[in-house]
Amino acid sequence: MAYTDIDTSVLIDLPDDAPIQLFDLKTQQAAIRPALERRWIDILDHGRYIGGPEVTECEEKLAAFTGAADAVAVGSGTQALVMPLLAMGLGPGDAVFIPGFTYNATANAVLLAGAFPVIVDIDPKTFNMDPADLQRRIEAVKAEGDLTPRCVMPVDLYGLPADYDAIQAVADAHNLRVVADGAQAFGGKDKGKWVGNLAEITATSFYPTKTLGGYGDGGAILCQDADFADRMRSIRWHGTGDNRKESIRVGINGRCDSIQCAVVAEKLGLFEAERARRIAAAAVYDQRLEGIIDHQIALEGQENGYGLYTVRVRNRDAVRAALSDAKIPSGIYYDMAIHQMPAFAHCAEAGSLPECEKAAQESLSLPMHPYLSEAQIHKVCDVLIAAHNA
Ligand SMILES: Cc1ncc(COP(=O)(O)O)c(C=O)c1O
């Protein structure tokens, strides 16, 4: 179904003079609050705060929605990245290729699993991993011989899927696994397929401001292999077997609680309508900014899930100040590339990832949520364009 055919009348409309927000969780809550209150009471009554029926409901709904073979709800997006790497038995000397312009969790996950993050540059238009640079860096690692390439972890930045066709081809050529960091991209698509079904394993996050967020921490692993999902269910419960007592492998507490699963299951009912509104909002931004201000661009066949709408501006501080003066919030995701953070400085030299470093200086995220009115978006664009051209 085209997003324009989706019934958005279930969503609340705000007046044009409502304060402009970067995200809006409050308006969404008003629509689902009665249902959530009923669900709270159910959880208080059944008392299964961990492992309640809401967990299975959420997992089944996530798998049915995305087309993944199975979904495993876990305690956070970070756990959803670490756990598949643990299951693959990665350790010292193993290389996992990640983009250098992402949230720190991507790099942390690799190091927590005991492997080494090899950092790949991004494509300046998509902000996502550059498949050609991936190929070069795999070959360089092989030539140096200190690390063994094992896995690629592309990130779907701001909601836009990475170039999985190209990345999978490179990964296949080098016999590498692909674990997608889709934490920001539930609702993104490529050639009609949802994020969650674009790689063999996808991690997503239910951090509250994500496109599909809970009211606390949570995440999910979506995968194409039901046996792998069962291993994830064991790992999230300290590596135990069916009796949940004896550890048959190393694991962690990686569980998502019943309350978070209930929130996510309920929010899935609004998801397509909210996504349609995000895409409509982005279309207004696109049309206003075309030829004036560079913004993240999808590849042919891709649909951005629009967790964020991100532009590039050279005079970012001045633009942010002008927006702020007009009571328009904006966000910087991120002002440092991964290797510019002290914890990851040993992973790549300064200057070795030019597009990541440039993006860290220029990227600016604008208000993006399903409850923005067209007039509000025009106001953002008026101030943005004037400040950009000043
Ligand atoms: C790209 C990316 N990866 C991983 C994560 C980690 O998710 P969580 O905060 O749920 O652990 C996030 C969340 O902010 C993210 O943006």
Side-chain angles (χ1 to χ4, degrees):
M1 195 193 304
Y3 83 89
T4 40
D5 297 333
I6 293 186
D7 176 15
T8 56
S9 64
V10 287
L11 304 180
I12 292 168
D13 287 312
L14 293 179
D16 289 342
D17 62 356
I20 298 178
Q21 303 192 63
L22 196 56
F23 308 106
D24 181 356
L25 299 180
K26 236 180 165 177
T27 307
Q28 179 198 53
Q29 191 204 104
I32 56 173
R33 191 165 173 132
L36 284 180
E37 286 177 352
R38 283 194 297 278
R39 283 176 174 275
W40 284 178
I41 291 168
D42 282 351
I43 292 170
L44 291 174
D45 285 347
H46 70 55
R48 293 177 60 196
Y49 312 118
I50 299 288
E54 294 78 11
V55 179
T56 310
E57 179 195 350
C58 176
E59 291 180 342
E60 286 175 357
K61 284 187 168 165
L62 288 169
F65 186 93
T66 56
D70 209 341
V72 181
V74 297
S76 67
T78 308
Q79 290 172 13
L81 292 170
V82 173
M83 291 167 59
L85 300 183
L86 286 181
M88 289 174 190
L90 296 193
D94 289 332
V96 178
F97 295 81
I98 66 166
F101 191 60
T102 176
Y103 187 51
N104 50 21
T106 318
N108 272 329
V110 176
L111 288 161
L112 284 169
F116 188 86
V118 176
I119 306 181
V120 178
D121 214 351
I122 56 164
D123 172 336
K125 290 209 164 59
T126 64
F127 288 88
N128 282 332
M129 180 183 273
D130 173 359
D133 194 52
L134 171 66
Q135 169 78 23
R136 280 192 291 274
R137 292 193 194 247
I138 295 171
E139 281 165 8
V141 165
K142 283 187 162 172
E144 276 163 27
D146 296 336
L147 296 168
T148 309
R150 294 287 303 276
C151 181
V152 187
M153 186 173 271
V155 176
D156 306 335
L157 206 72
Y158 308 138
L160 181 68
D163 185 355
Y164 286 102
D165 288 345
I167 289 170
Q168 190 68 55
V170 174
D172 288 346
H174 294 277
N175 204 16
L176 310 184
R177 308 284 296 268
V178 177
V179 177
D181 180 347
Q184 301 184 0
F186 195 88
K189 275 188 174 177
D190 196 347
K191 297 176 200 74
K193 279 185 168 182
W194 292 104
V195 163
N197 201 11
L198 298 176
E200 70 167 302
I201 299 155
T202 303
T204 196
S205 165
F206 301 144
Y207 186 80
T209 53
K210 300 296 195 223
T211 50
L212 181 65
Y215 289 160
D217 278 314
I221 299 160
L222 299 136
C223 55
Q224 311 305 343
D225 174 356
D227 289 341
F228 190 83
D230 284 343
R231 246 182 296 154
M232 294 299 102
R233 291 193 171 90
S234 160
I235 286 178
R236 81 172 164 192
W237 209 298
H238 291 290
T240 51
D242 290 343
N243 66 9
R244 296 279 171 258
K245 285 185 183 155
E246 184 193 0
S247 290
I248 53 175
R249 55 173 65 83
V250 174
I252 56 173
N253 169 4
R255 298 178 296 254
C256 190
D257 62 63
S258 305
I259 289 181
Q260 297 315 322
C261 286
V263 175
V264 171
E266 194 58 46
K267 283 198 187 180
L268 259 177
L270 289 184
F271 189 80
E272 290 246 44
E274 288 198 334
R275 176 178 181 272
R277 285 273 191 90
R278 287 176 190 273
I279 293 175
V284 179
Y285 276 128
D286 283 352
Q287 185 247 322
R288 284 293 310 274
L289 303 181
E290 195 54 45
I292 306 173
I293 295 182
D294 289 339
H295 52 85
Q296 187 184 32
I297 299 283
L299 299 172
E300 180 82 30
Q302 290 187 326
E303 290 174 42
N304 197 326
Y306 290 114
L308 290 163
Y309 187 95
T310 301
V311 299
R312 280 179 184 268
V313 280
R314 292 219 183 90
N315 54 343
R316 185 170 65 184
D317 290 345
V319 168
R320 275 203 102 190
L323 289 168
S324 172
D325 287 348
K327 298 201 166 20
I328 297 169
S330 59
I332 298 180
Y333 305 95
Y334 302 92
D335 57 7
M336 277 183 174
I338 286 295
H339 64 296
Q340 294 175 318
M341 299 186 195
F344 314 122
H346 63 294
C347 301
E349 279 172 26
S352 63
L353 294 143
E355 292 301 343
C356 294
E357 292 174 20
K358 199 165 167 219
Q361 286 174 351
E362 296 182 348
S363 60
L364 181 69
S365 298
L366 305 177
M368 171 48 77
H369 58 76
Y371 304 96
L372 282 169
S373 74
E374 201 169 325
Q376 288 179 320
I377 301 167
H378 282 297
K379 182 175 172 191
V380 176
C381 292
D382 290 343
V383 177
L384 171 67
I385 292 169
H388 171 265
N389 293 342

